[in-house]
Amino acid sequence: GPDTASCGCVFVPLARLGRGLGGRLMKAAVSAIAGKGLRLNATPEGLALYKQSGFRAGGLTHQNQGIARMPQAPVGDVMLVNRSFAGQIIALDQRAPGLDRRAILDTLMQVSEIAIVRDAHGALVGFALCRVFGMGRASGPLIAPDATTAIALITFFLHRYAGQFLRIDTPASHQLSPWLAAHGLAEVAPATAMQLGAGETGQIFALASQALG
C-alpha cells in the first residue's frame, strides 16, 4: 500500500545461522520499502532478530487447526459468490489493513471459495476465503466490521466442512482462539505480530496465513 508493507517467509539455512544474514536481509527489506511501515509475524526463532531490527511486538497471532465441529448457531446471512465480486472484495481489503494486496487476493480467489456478508443496503461489509491447504483447508483472509460478522463467516465454513480439517490464523486481539478451540480447532503455533512504523489492523479477523498476513 502507499504507507504499509508486509514481510513473510524469512529463511536462513541452518548452516549459516549466526553470521548476520538475517539482519542483512531485514536491513535490505526496510531499505526497499523507502520509509513505509512494515508488518510481519515472527516465529520464536526470529523474534530477537526483528527486535534488533527495530520492530515492536503488537500481540500474538494464533494458529488454530483441527477437525471442524459444527456450531449450534445457524449460518446466518452469509452467501457464497463468484469472482464477479473481486473488485469490491479488494477495495474492502485495502481499507482494512492499509495494504495493496490485490495480487495476492486475485491469486487466492482463483483457488478459494468466497463467502460474503452484505448490509441492509446491499453493500459488502465482510468476506472470507477458504481454500484447499495442507491436510485439509484454510480459511482466510477474513475482513469484517465486528466480531459478530466475523463469527458468522467462520460459522459458515465450520458448517460447510464439519468433520474435516480446517485451519484459521487469527490476531489475538479479537479473542477468537478459545471459540475456535471449542469447535475443534486447537491452538498449535502462535506467532508474534510485529510492526515497524505500521498502524493497526482492526478489521482483519483472520489472516491468509501467518506468512502472507
Side-chain angles (χ1 to χ4, degrees):
D3 303 309
T4 309
S6 65
C7 182
C9 295
V10 179
F11 295 108
V12 174
L14 287 174
R16 295 180 176 272
L17 289 178
R19 301 185 184 182
L21 294 180
R24 288 162 60 188
L25 283 170
M26 293 312 303
K27 184 177 180 179
V30 171
S31 297
I33 61 174
K36 293 182 180 180
L38 185 59
R39 299 189 186 117
L40 56 80
N41 287 292
T43 61
E45 295 80 6
L47 196 58
L49 165 66
Y50 301 128
K51 286 182 177 179
Q52 291 170 5
S53 300
F55 286 80
R56 59 180 177 84
L60 293 178
T61 297
H62 295 298
Q63 178 180 325
N64 286 73
Q65 63 185 43
I67 304 303
R69 291 203 293 267
M70 186 181 298
Q72 293 182 351
V75 170
D77 296 325
V78 178
M79 59 184 294
L80 282 179
V81 298
N82 58 33
R83 292 183 63 216
S84 65
F85 281 78
Q88 296 178 57
I89 287 169
I90 289 170
L92 181 62
D93 182 78
Q94 287 177 339
R95 292 196 297 272
L99 298 172
D100 185 350
R101 304 195 298 180
R102 71 185 71 196
I104 291 174
L105 282 173
D106 186 62
T107 299
L108 289 175
M109 283 189 283
Q110 293 180 41
V111 297
S112 300
E113 293 179 314
I114 306 168
I116 67 166
V117 175
R118 293 191 282 190
D119 65 16
H121 304 288
L124 180 73
V125 294
F127 74 88
L129 306 185
C130 189
R131 66 194 186 277
V132 174
F133 181 89
M135 295 184 289
R137 287 176 171 81
S139 183
L142 190 164
I143 304 296
D146 50 52
T148 299
T149 305
I151 288 174
L153 285 161
I154 296 172
T155 296
F156 178 88
F157 285 117
L158 288 174
H159 273 269
R160 191 166 177 82
Y161 294 112
Q164 300 181 44
F165 183 91
L166 185 64
R167 169 178 166 176
I168 303 178
D169 297 352
T170 63
S173 58
H174 295 308
Q175 301 180 351
L176 290 175
S177 185
W179 184 86
L180 291 167
H183 293 89
L185 310 187
E187 183 183 339
V188 295
T192 301
M194 306 197 76
Q195 303 172 353
L196 181 65
E200 300 301 319
T201 57
Q203 288 187 303
I204 301 178
F205 282 82
L207 285 63
S209 69
Q210 290 183 0
L212 291 175

